[in-house]
Amino acid sequence: MKSYVLLLMAIVLLSCEPEKSNDKELTLDKLNGFVQKGPYLNGTALILSELSGDFSATGRTFNAQILDNKGTFEVYNIDLASPFVEVKADGYYYNEVTNENSSSQLTLFALSDLTDRTSLNINILSHLERSRVLYLIHNGKTFNEAKKQAQSEILKIFEIEKPDMSSSESLDITKEGEDNAILLAISVILQGYLSVSDLSELIANISTDIREDGILNSSSIGTQLINNARNIDAGVIRANLENRYEALGMNTAVPDFESYIQNFIENSDFEYTAFITYPASGANGLNLLDTTNTISFSTQGIFSLAAILPEGSNLKVKIVGSSWFFPAFQENTGWTYGDWNSEEKSRIFTSTQTGEIDYRIFLENAYVVNCDSVTQICDTTYESINTTIYVYENDDTEPTWSRVIHHKE
């Protein structure tokens, strides 16, 4: 009887012992992928953090770093109790707009479910969607539902609708395909000619703005996006990327990102404000490029050829006429000039930098000296002539605008 009681007590105690959980529900020998804004540079630090079922950090992390200038990373021997992870990359990257490496580090994130994955990529889209995805999950959406909805909402900001778009962590700007082209277009638009700190602020502000409703409500952010899109040169960016990949020994084809940038420019309601402006006067006097002024002078006048160019813009000015000239040796003007066209009586000035540019120009009245052949008495009369200025903004092949300056006594 005593043995029976002891056996019964042992069974009861065993039945009350808590069930041990398996803390290694998912094991990967290796997880690899790419970090891309443009490609991140060798040595970039990377941290993979496990997330619980409610998407809070469990404290389990795995460290790695980028292995080359293609942005390649590998993380080994990953044991997870949850398939959900957040990956953070913090480092320098190749800027495809300026064709140089970034001057400071940029942090990008990606959220992913590793249940059926052995690779994932970190990029602008994976970063932009992060806050919105977490908000949707905490308000009842599944991970897959939240990812799909957040991505669709971000694409709409850039005038793109693609229901069958691949997940952000599957995209790769070095591969062909429509989805990869969309990623590259958005990445380029966001970059524009912004510094790393300004880009970081821009993507943070977008993430905050869309977090709760999935809509970009800030008109100032929208203006920044359309300004960026209109001021970049997609052809130059393509050449930059192709040359970069070739230098890295990569056999790649840059996807057709240009069409998505153009579609954004043509269909966006965001207000473009990054116009070239022409101040009323410059360092040398009244500005010949300010069409609101009325230029008047007696025999000669000193004027400015002045403009303020936003980053990424350019300007060409053709001056036609015979009663103007300029000092050839002027320093730090932001202009260069071409050869004199004797047939057209013209010369072309081209901007060499952005920001404020200014050149000294002299205008003079044309006069005719008439002498009597008998008395040898001469008198001077002034002719009414014109100088015409043609302005070509941002590679326009036809004049963006023009003005005529009338010379008279």
Side-chain angles (χ1 to χ4, degrees):
M1 182 67 178
K2 184 177 180 181
S3 298
Y4 174 77
V5 171
L6 289 173
L7 178 61
L8 182 62
M9 289 177 65
I11 292 172
V12 170
L13 288 171
L14 286 171
S15 66
C16 293
E17 184 179 350
E19 182 180 352
K20 292 183 178 180
S21 61
N22 180 7
D23 61 355
K24 294 183 179 181
E25 293 184 1
L26 190 149
T27 300
L28 293 176
D29 294 331
K30 182 176 77 170
L31 177 74
N32 61 4
F34 298 97
V35 184
Q36 298 170 335
K37 173 32 222 76
Y40 266 59
L41 306 184
N42 197 351
T44 293
L46 186 139
I47 302 174
L48 184 149
S49 302
E50 180 186 65
L51 302 177
S52 65
D54 63 359
F55 285 81
S56 58
T58 67
R60 183 177 298 180
T61 62
F62 303 84
N63 298 314
Q65 69 178 34
I66 288 178
L67 305 174
D68 54 33
N69 288 332
K70 304 172 187 177
T72 309
F73 72 87
E74 296 175 349
V75 187
Y76 290 91
N77 302 319
I78 301 173
D79 294 322
L80 299 171
S82 165
F84 301 113
V85 297
E86 177 180 78
V87 190
K88 173 186 176 183
D90 185 23
Y92 298 91
Y93 64 94
Y94 169 71
N95 184 329
E96 68 281 357
V97 176
T98 61
N99 193 32
E100 58 189 11
N101 294 336
S102 65
S103 59
S104 55
Q105 297 181 324
L106 178 70
T107 301
L108 293 181
F109 287 93
L111 296 173
S112 190
D113 179 352
L114 298 184
T115 300
D116 298 311
R117 282 189 174 277
T118 56
S119 68
L120 68 85
N121 298 330
I122 307 166
N123 50 56
I124 281 291
L125 273 179
S126 72
H127 183 89
L128 277 180
E129 70 188 15
R130 172 174 172 263
S131 293
R132 178 63 173 157
V133 167
L134 292 175
Y135 180 86
L136 290 171
I137 289 171
H138 292 148
N139 284 273
K141 297 286 186 180
T142 66
F143 179 75
N144 288 336
E145 289 171 343
K147 286 272 286 184
K148 191 172 184 64
Q149 180 174 334
Q151 184 185 76
S152 175
E153 291 164 345
I154 292 169
L155 295 188
K156 286 180 181 178
I157 296 172
F158 299 91
E159 302 297 329
I160 299 169
E161 290 191 22
K162 194 171 189 299
D164 61 345
M165 181 85 171
S166 301
S167 64
S168 60
E169 64 268 41
S170 299
L171 302 177
D172 184 347
I173 64 172
T174 68
K175 299 289 193 302
E176 290 184 303
E178 191 176 358
D179 294 359
N180 297 321
I182 290 171
L183 168 63
L184 181 54
I186 292 174
S187 186
V188 166
I189 291 170
L190 287 165
Q191 177 67 71
Y193 285 93
L194 301 182
S195 65
V196 178
S197 60
D198 287 340
L199 171 61
S200 181
E201 181 182 20
L202 175 62
I203 58 182
N205 288 342
I206 294 173
S207 297
T208 300
D209 188 288
I210 67 173
R211 178 177 173 270
E212 295 186 1
D213 62 6
I215 299 171
L216 184 62
N217 298 294
S218 169
S219 59
S220 62
I221 293 176
T223 289
Q224 180 68 74
L225 294 177
I226 196 65
N227 286 350
N228 284 2
R230 288 185 57 172
N231 286 343
I232 57 178
D233 188 326
V236 170
I237 292 169
R238 172 173 287 276
N240 290 344
L241 286 169
E242 289 174 343
N243 292 335
R244 176 72 173 187
Y245 296 149
E246 183 179 356
L248 294 173
M250 299 173 65
N251 184 19
T252 65
V254 177
D256 179 25
F257 70 98
E258 296 94 334
S259 61
Y260 291 99
I261 295 176
Q262 190 59 38
N263 179 71
F264 176 60
I265 292 171
E266 292 175 357
N267 294 289
S268 176
D269 292 329
F270 297 139
E271 181 183 6
Y272 178 73
T273 61
F275 296 101
I276 297 173
T277 56
Y278 305 97
S281 60
N284 302 293
L286 288 177
N287 184 14
L288 296 176
L289 300 180
D290 175 24
T291 58
T292 65
N293 63 30
T294 300
I295 295 175
S296 61
F297 49 89
S298 55
T299 59
Q300 181 171 285
I302 303 174
F303 299 89
S304 279
L305 194 71
I308 302 173
L309 280 68
E311 197 72 34
S313 61
N314 61 77
L315 184 63
K316 183 172 68 175
V317 173
K318 180 167 72 172
I319 305 179
V320 181
S322 57
S323 293
W324 67 276
F325 63 96
F326 63 97
F329 300 103
Q330 301 183 46
E331 295 182 350
N332 304 317
T333 64
W335 291 99
T336 186
Y337 59 86
D339 295 333
W340 173 255
N341 184 324
S342 57
E343 292 184 5
E344 207 176 48
K345 295 182 179 179
S346 69
R347 194 184 296 269
I348 293 176
F349 294 80
T350 304
S351 63
T352 60
Q353 65 186 44
T354 54
E356 296 183 15
I357 60 176
D358 197 344
Y359 210 85
R360 179 177 294 181
I361 301 290
F362 290 84
L363 294 182
E364 60 183 2
N365 281 329
Y367 59 89
V368 177
V369 178
N370 297 304
C371 297
D372 188 286
S373 60
V374 176
T375 64
Q376 299 297 309
I377 298 175
C378 301
D379 65 346
T380 301
T381 60
Y382 289 89
E383 288 186 346
S384 179
I385 62 171
N386 298 327
T387 294
T388 305
I389 297 177
Y390 298 96
V391 175
Y392 301 79
E393 296 181 348
N394 299 321
D395 300 314
D396 281 350
T397 56
E398 297 295 329
T400 310
W401 57 269
S402 63
R403 74 176 302 188
V404 177
I405 298 173
H406 302 283
H407 301 242
K408 57 184 179 180
E409 187 177 8

